[in-house]
Amino acid sequence: MKISIITVTLNSDQTIRDTLNSVFSQTYKNIEHIIIDGGSKDQTLPLLKRYPNKKKKIFIKKNFGIYKSINYGIKKASGKYVCILNSDDIFQSNDSINNIVKIINKNKNF
């Protein structure tokens, strides 16, 4: 089961590296990472483009705003489930998505 993680950014060069590492370090590997940037003027875009995760998709949508960007990310997502991870957030552990998938699999009514 694929999980889509959506991250919205704007001038996040001070925090985005930690967010990217948090996604990249997940033990559950069937993840796509969709990043919507609002037209950053700092080093956010160069950092995103250099990052080695092959399952990331970057979209630049200037002046979309956070909620319109999230909705855009949801439309682009191909995962069965969607997770929102802000550009200054990290997962609690490397097993966070794996634990979520286990809970989903135990509760088929999700």
Side-chain angles (χ1 to χ4, degrees), residues 3-110:
I3 304 294
S4 298
I5 300 171
I6 298 170
T7 300
V8 176
T9 66
L10 180 63
N11 297 323
S12 301
D13 67 358
Q14 298 298 307
T15 58
I16 193 65
R17 189 176 290 118
D18 291 335
T19 304
L20 294 169
N21 286 333
S22 180
V23 173
F24 188 71
S25 298
Q26 290 300 298
T27 57
Y28 190 81
K29 295 302 179 190
N30 196 5
I31 293 173
E32 75 174 342
H33 194 187
I34 298 171
I35 303 161
I36 299 94
D37 184 82
S40 293
K41 302 282 188 216
D42 63 359
Q43 291 299 306
T44 300
L45 287 173
L47 283 169
L48 291 173
K49 290 176 181 175
R50 283 195 313 261
Y51 206 75
N53 188 350
K54 294 177 182 157
K55 295 183 181 180
K56 77 177 184 307
K57 300 173 186 174
I58 302 169
F59 299 95
I60 300 168
K61 296 293 179 185
K62 293 181 182 181
N63 303 318
F64 252 40
I66 189 166
Y67 297 109
K68 191 172 182 181
S69 295
I70 289 170
N71 287 328
Y72 182 83
I74 290 169
K75 288 178 187 172
K76 293 295 183 183
S78 63
K80 184 168 184 180
Y81 294 94
V82 172
C83 174
I84 308 299
L85 184 68
N86 293 318
S87 64
D88 60 351
D89 291 340
I90 60 171
F91 287 112
Q92 181 179 12
S93 80
N94 293 344
D95 291 321
S96 292
I97 297 297
N98 194 44
N99 292 334
I100 291 168
V101 169
K102 284 180 184 178
I103 292 168
I104 291 169
N105 287 332
K106 285 182 185 176
N107 299 286
K108 296 296 179 181
N109 293 331
F110 277 8

